[in-house]
């Protein structure tokens, strides 16, 4: 099955979908407005774009896997090259000279081709029409890299549109599958996927028009911004229904054999390339997050202060709002259900505190050992040195509990999270290993109180301390001194968080390391969205070269430099728009 934007238009609304705000100025004027872009227009021959799309064989899931693996390998090669070059510089190789800086190497080098070829598709510079035009001899290597980044956004959207179309035509419109479902169940499983597909088609057609006007792409981020601001709200609706979708799908698999058999039969079709049905259902959320990263990649390659930087920043801000709205929407329902479940297990020895609130969510829960009695040598020899306590830590509140029989807890103390302080004890032998001090500046009785708590491991102790007081100074960097050269890693194995204080990681994520433990856990901050959390050290590898780490930080600061001061306002605007 071929899914091509020129042919599959039945999912688009009947009204005119042209962009009324599109700039009518010629592309040559756009090109001459920026010193990076060449002044000559190279129109794409008829049907060339269709030919390019026809040669995209990857489904989006395959593209995403290849892309992230290429990113990982590129960074490894780059890190190794820079270190090798530095070693070569330090040795006396004056006859041959040291290798040129990475940014000055020609675009056909191994490193540059890896950097530009992370999509797994044909390179822009390898397109026959590009080579015939002779434009490569006119462009600087930096502009070629930018063209590759914009071309990847275009071709990956075509791959995504192809996979999304398969979800509709192969699964949703399957007579065998529809026969196993009620109409309401079809809505739970597929949600507003037709709107998402129509949105992708409209977006792809505008990208196609831009590419056909000039084979040297003037910009794509202005198109991304226009669609993100005016059309991409359908992604938020789809993703916010994800909780219902997953629950309905899981129940149907367990309770309805005919549904399970129909899905299994459809998955075996060669069109699916061995990919499961669930991988098609999560495509919209994967795409909106990936699109943000593709725009970030473009942003790191445009000239600072240029018009193209401005459009990239605008597009990135709009996508950031959408991704945040998607995440908040998914979390909101599960958080409320979790609060209701927790409240049913609590009884209060002190004055009761209402638990359920729209602005509250659970950060961490678990059992610790509280040191009982004064710290004397006599007490240390007693068997009752520690007693079990159970903690529920929310984003704004701490509950100290005694565990009762069954899943019941008696609350004996509470404190606002902002009134907590922690302190790690110095090494005092095996008995007091992994012990820390928790100070409540104002507890349930409106007085200061101190607890000595023992965790089962060093990582568990540090995770509790980080969750209780998030703004404390960490091992590698002060929270107020983010410019320090702290360790940095990239994710080489995906990780799904198991607890609220953990961070799910995708392949090729880059993170600053803020803290680590001796038993294999790392506390890090992901650069592209500043999300923090714990993860196993086995899923990442360290970026050794300080120059590469510095470059990653510079790119991060550049991407987010205009975000401060507008995030809260943008969040409110997106939230109100999605509720309408």
């Amino acid at each position: 099955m071929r899914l091509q934007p020129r042919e599959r238009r039945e999912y688009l609304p009947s009204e005119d979908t042209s962009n009324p705000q599109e700039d009518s100025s010629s592309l040559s004027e756009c090109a001459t407005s920026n010193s990076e872009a060449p002044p000559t227009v190279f129109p794409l021959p008829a049907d060339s774009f269709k030919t390019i799309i026809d040669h995209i064989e990857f489904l989006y899931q395959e593209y995403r896997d290849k892309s992230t693996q290429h990113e990982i390998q590129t960074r490894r090669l780059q890190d190794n090259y820079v270190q090798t070059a530095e070693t070569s510089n330090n040795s006396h190789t004056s006859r041959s000279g040291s290798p040129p800086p990475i940014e000055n190497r020609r675009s056909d080098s191994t490193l540059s081709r890896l950097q530009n070829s992370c999509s797994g598709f044909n390179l822009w510079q390898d397109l026959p029409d590009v080579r015939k035009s002779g434009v490569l001899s006119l462009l600087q290597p930096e502009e070629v890299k930018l063209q590759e980044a914009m071309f990847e956004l275009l071709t990956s959207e075509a791959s995504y549109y192809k996979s999304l179309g398969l979800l509709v035509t192969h699964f949703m419109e399957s007579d065998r599958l529809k026969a196993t479902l009620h109409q309401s169940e079809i809505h739970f499983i597929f949600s507003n996927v037709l709107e998402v597909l129509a949105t992708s088609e409209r977006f792809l057609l505008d990208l196609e028009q831009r590419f056909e006007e000039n084979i040297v792409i003037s910009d794509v981020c202005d198109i991304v911004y226009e669609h993100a601001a005016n059309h991409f709200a359908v992604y938020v609706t789809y993703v916010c229904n994800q909780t219902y979708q997953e629950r309905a799908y899981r129940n149907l698999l367990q309770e309805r054999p005919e549904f399970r058999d129909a899905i299994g039969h459809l998955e075996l079709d060669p069109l699916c390339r061995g990919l499961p049905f669930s991988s098609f259902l999560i495509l919209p959320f994967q795409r909106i997050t990936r699109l943000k990263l593709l725009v970030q990649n473009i942003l790191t390659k445009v000239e600072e202060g240029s018009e193209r930087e401005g459009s990239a920043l605008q597009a990135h801000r709009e996508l950031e709002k959408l991704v945040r709205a998607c995440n908040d929407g998914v979390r909101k329902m599960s958080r409320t259900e979790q609060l209701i479940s927790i409240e049913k297990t609590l009884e209060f020895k002190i004055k009761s505190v209402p638990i359920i609130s729209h602005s509250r969510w659970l950060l961490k829960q678990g059992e610790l050992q509280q040191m009982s009695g004064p710290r004397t040598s006599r007490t240390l020899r007693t068997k009752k040195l520690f007693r079990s306590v159970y903690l529920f830590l929310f984003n704004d509140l701490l509950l100290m509990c005694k565990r009762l029989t069954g899943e019941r807890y008696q609350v004996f103390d509470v404190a606002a999270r902002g009134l907590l302080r922690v302190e790690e004890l110095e090494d005092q032998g095996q008995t007091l290993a992994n012990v820390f001090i928790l100070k409540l500046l104002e507890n349930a009785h409106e007085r200061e109180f101190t607890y000595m708590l023992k965790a089962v491991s060093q990582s568990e102790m540090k995770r509790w301390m980080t969750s209780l007081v998030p703004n404390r100074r960490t091992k590698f960097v002060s929270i107020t001194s983010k410019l320090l050269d702290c360790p940095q890693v990239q994710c080489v194995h995906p990780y799904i968080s198991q607890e609220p204080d953990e961070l799910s990681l995708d392949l090729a994520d880059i993170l600053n390391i803020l803290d680590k433990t001796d038993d294999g856990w790392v506390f890090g901050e992901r650069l592209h969205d500043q999300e923090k959390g714990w993860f196993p050290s086995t899923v990442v590898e360290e970026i050794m070269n300080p120059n590469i780490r510095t470059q990653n930080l510079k790119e991060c600061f550049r991407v987010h430099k205009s975000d401060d001061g507008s995030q809260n306002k943008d969040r409110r605007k997106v939230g109100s728009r999605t509720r309408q």
Side-chain angles (χ1 to χ4, degrees):
M1 179 183 66
R2 296 281 185 192
L3 291 176
Q4 297 160 2
R6 291 182 181 275
E7 298 173 2
R8 297 198 51 81
R9 304 196 180 189
E10 63 268 31
Y11 300 108
L12 282 171
S14 58
E15 65 267 18
D16 181 18
T17 58
S18 62
N19 180 9
Q21 298 176 347
E22 188 174 357
D23 190 357
S24 61
S25 59
S26 70
L27 207 52
S28 59
E29 292 174 349
C30 294
T32 55
S33 66
N34 190 300
S35 59
E36 292 180 351
T40 308
V41 174
F42 297 87
L44 195 67
D47 292 331
S48 289
F49 185 84
K50 180 178 181 295
T51 302
I52 293 171
I53 299 303
D54 283 346
H55 281 82
I56 294 176
E57 299 179 357
F58 293 117
L59 292 178
Y60 187 72
Q61 299 94 312
E62 298 169 306
Y63 149 75
R64 194 168 178 269
D65 288 343
K66 285 184 69 71
S67 174
T68 50
Q69 288 294 342
H70 270 281
E71 288 179 39
I72 291 171
Q73 294 302 325
T74 299
R75 292 188 190 126
R76 285 172 174 168
L77 181 59
Q78 186 183 56
D79 199 10
N80 181 66
Y81 172 79
V82 174
Q83 293 182 70
T84 303
E86 288 179 347
T87 303
S88 182
N89 284 337
N90 291 333
S91 63
H92 300 289
T93 55
S94 57
R95 287 182 299 170
S96 57
S98 59
I102 288 178
E103 62 272 15
N104 293 334
R105 302 180 77 199
R106 284 301 300 172
S107 57
D108 58 353
S109 68
T110 302
L111 178 58
S112 294
R113 290 178 69 84
L114 262 177
Q115 288 173 325
N116 293 329
S117 180
C118 52
S119 69
F121 302 123
N122 288 333
L123 291 172
W124 173 85
Q125 62 187 295
D126 288 338
L127 294 176
D129 293 315
V130 172
R131 293 205 168 273
K132 290 177 187 175
S133 70
V135 71
L136 291 175
S137 62
L138 304 176
L139 299 178
Q140 294 297 317
E142 293 77 12
E143 178 65 28
V144 174
K145 292 177 183 179
L146 176 57
Q147 292 296 315
E148 299 290 3
M150 292 190 289
F151 185 66
E152 181 183 359
L153 189 147
L154 188 154
T155 51
S156 64
E157 185 66 28
S159 175
Y160 164 68
Y161 176 75
K162 175 181 179 179
S163 297
L164 201 61
L166 199 58
L167 174 62
V168 171
T169 59
H170 186 64
F171 289 99
M172 183 179 177
E173 296 177 354
S174 165
D175 291 335
R176 178 174 177 176
L177 185 61
K178 286 192 291 186
T180 70
L181 298 170
H182 303 302
Q183 192 60 39
S184 60
E185 292 169 335
I186 293 176
H187 175 71
F188 279 132
I189 295 296
F190 295 100
S191 189
N192 65 327
V193 68
L194 289 178
E195 294 180 78
V196 177
L197 181 61
T199 299
S200 174
E201 183 169 341
R202 184 188 295 112
F203 181 43
L204 187 58
L205 289 171
D206 281 355
L207 292 172
E208 171 188 352
Q209 181 180 354
R210 177 64 57 84
F211 188 54
E212 288 179 339
E213 288 172 343
N214 193 349
I215 202 167
V216 180
I217 309 169
S218 60
D219 197 2
V220 293
C221 291
D222 57 332
I223 298 175
V224 174
Y225 170 73
E226 193 275 329
H227 282 262
N230 299 313
H231 305 297
F232 283 2
V234 297
Y235 281 92
V236 181
T237 302
Y238 185 94
V239 174
C240 288
N241 289 331
Q242 187 174 320
T243 302
Y244 299 102
Q245 183 188 69
E246 291 175 350
R247 184 178 301 165
Y249 179 54
R250 186 168 55 249
N251 290 340
L252 286 167
L253 284 177
Q254 294 173 351
E255 301 170 5
R256 198 168 299 174
E258 60 271 26
F259 172 82
R260 184 170 60 247
D261 292 343
I263 289 293
H265 173 75
L266 292 170
E267 287 177 336
L268 291 176
D269 193 292
L271 287 172
C272 296
R273 310 281 284 267
L275 295 166
F277 174 56
S278 57
S279 73
F280 290 89
L281 288 178
I282 62 173
L283 284 171
F285 186 53
Q286 287 183 334
R287 181 55 183 169
I288 203 70
T289 53
R290 184 67 185 175
L291 195 57
K292 188 189 78 166
L293 296 179
L294 292 172
V295 170
Q296 282 187 9
N297 186 38
I298 293 171
L299 183 53
T300 62
K301 293 174 171 56
V302 296
E303 183 181 4
E304 289 197 54
S306 66
E307 184 178 339
R308 288 194 287 192
E309 183 190 45
S311 67
L313 286 169
Q314 274 190 315
H316 182 267
R317 281 197 299 270
E318 204 64 35
L319 291 170
E320 186 87 352
K321 289 189 292 182
L322 287 166
V323 171
R324 191 179 298 115
C326 288
N327 286 327
D328 290 346
V330 170
R331 292 168 180 162
K332 185 175 182 181
M333 179 184 170
S334 60
R335 285 171 172 175
T336 301
E337 289 181 343
Q338 190 175 41
L339 290 177
I340 294 172
S341 177
I342 290 173
E343 188 176 58
K344 291 178 179 178
T345 67
L346 301 178
E347 59 181 62
F348 285 81
K349 187 177 180 180
I350 54 176
K351 183 179 178 180
S352 64
V353 176
I355 299 301
I356 300 175
S357 169
H358 291 299
S359 60
R360 178 174 293 152
W361 61 88
L362 182 71
L363 293 179
K364 191 170 179 62
Q365 69 180 82
E367 190 170 73
L368 294 170
Q369 300 296 314
Q370 179 194 353
M371 183 175 183
S372 58
R375 291 173 57 192
T376 64
S377 57
R378 180 179 180 180
T379 306
L380 290 173
R381 289 194 295 269
T382 67
K383 294 183 179 180
K384 296 291 185 178
L385 175 59
F386 294 102
R387 65 169 185 173
S388 296
V389 293
Y390 200 91
L391 277 62
F392 289 96
L393 178 65
F394 304 96
N395 62 307
D396 62 345
L397 184 70
L398 171 68
L399 304 182
M400 305 282 296
C401 308
K402 175 184 177 182
R403 194 167 196 166
L404 306 176
T405 56
E407 291 298 318
R408 300 288 300 173
Y409 304 90
Q410 183 184 66
V411 182
F412 62 83
D413 209 353
V414 301
R417 186 175 176 226
L419 297 178
L420 303 178
R421 301 293 184 269
V422 293
E423 179 185 342
E424 184 177 353
L425 287 182
E426 297 179 1
D427 185 17
Q428 298 192 30
Q430 186 63 35
T431 304
L432 295 180
N434 307 320
V435 172
F436 67 97
I437 296 171
L438 171 63
K439 181 179 291 187
L440 281 55
L441 299 184
E442 185 178 306
N443 71 350
H445 305 290
E446 299 183 352
R447 61 187 177 89
E448 185 177 302
F449 198 85
T450 299
Y451 294 93
M452 289 185 64
L453 302 173
K454 180 180 176 69
V456 295
S457 64
Q458 184 196 46
S459 61
E460 189 65 11
M461 177 190 72
K462 288 200 171 189
R463 287 173 64 167
W464 269 110
M465 293 175 69
T466 301
S467 297
L468 288 162
V469 183
N471 292 325
R472 55 187 284 270
R473 184 183 178 92
T474 57
K475 182 175 182 180
F476 295 106
V477 62
S478 167
I479 298 300
T480 59
S481 304
K482 291 189 176 182
L483 291 176
L484 294 180
D485 181 30
C486 60
Q488 209 173 83
V489 295
Q490 70 168 336
C491 175
V492 293
H493 302 289
Y495 179 70
I496 299 176
S497 61
Q498 306 298 311
E499 295 185 24
D501 66 332
E502 294 178 12
L503 185 63
S504 293
L505 300 180
D506 287 326
L507 285 173
D509 281 349
I510 301 179
L511 304 102
N512 277 340
I513 300 307
L514 306 180
D515 208 345
K516 63 167 61 173
T517 68
D518 296 335
D519 51 355
W521 283 88
V522 179
F523 183 60
E525 179 183 42
R526 186 163 47 216
L527 293 191
H528 76 76
D529 60 5
Q530 283 84 57
E531 289 285 330
K532 298 177 184 176
W534 291 89
F535 49 88
S537 59
T538 52
V539 303
V540 296
E541 64 182 21
E542 188 166 357
I543 298 173
M544 303 302 297
N545 190 277
N547 295 331
I548 304 300
R549 295 197 297 268
T550 300
Q551 181 63 31
N552 290 336
L553 282 177
K554 285 181 179 179
E555 292 178 356
C556 172
F557 295 151
R558 183 180 179 187
V559 167
H560 295 285
K561 67 181 180 181
S562 61
D563 288 355
D564 296 338
S566 63
Q567 287 185 354
N568 291 333
K569 181 176 71 174
D570 291 342
R571 191 178 306 171
R572 289 193 296 270
K573 287 171 64 178
V574 171
S576 63
R577 185 167 68 235
T578 56
R579 288 192 295 270
Q580 292 175 353

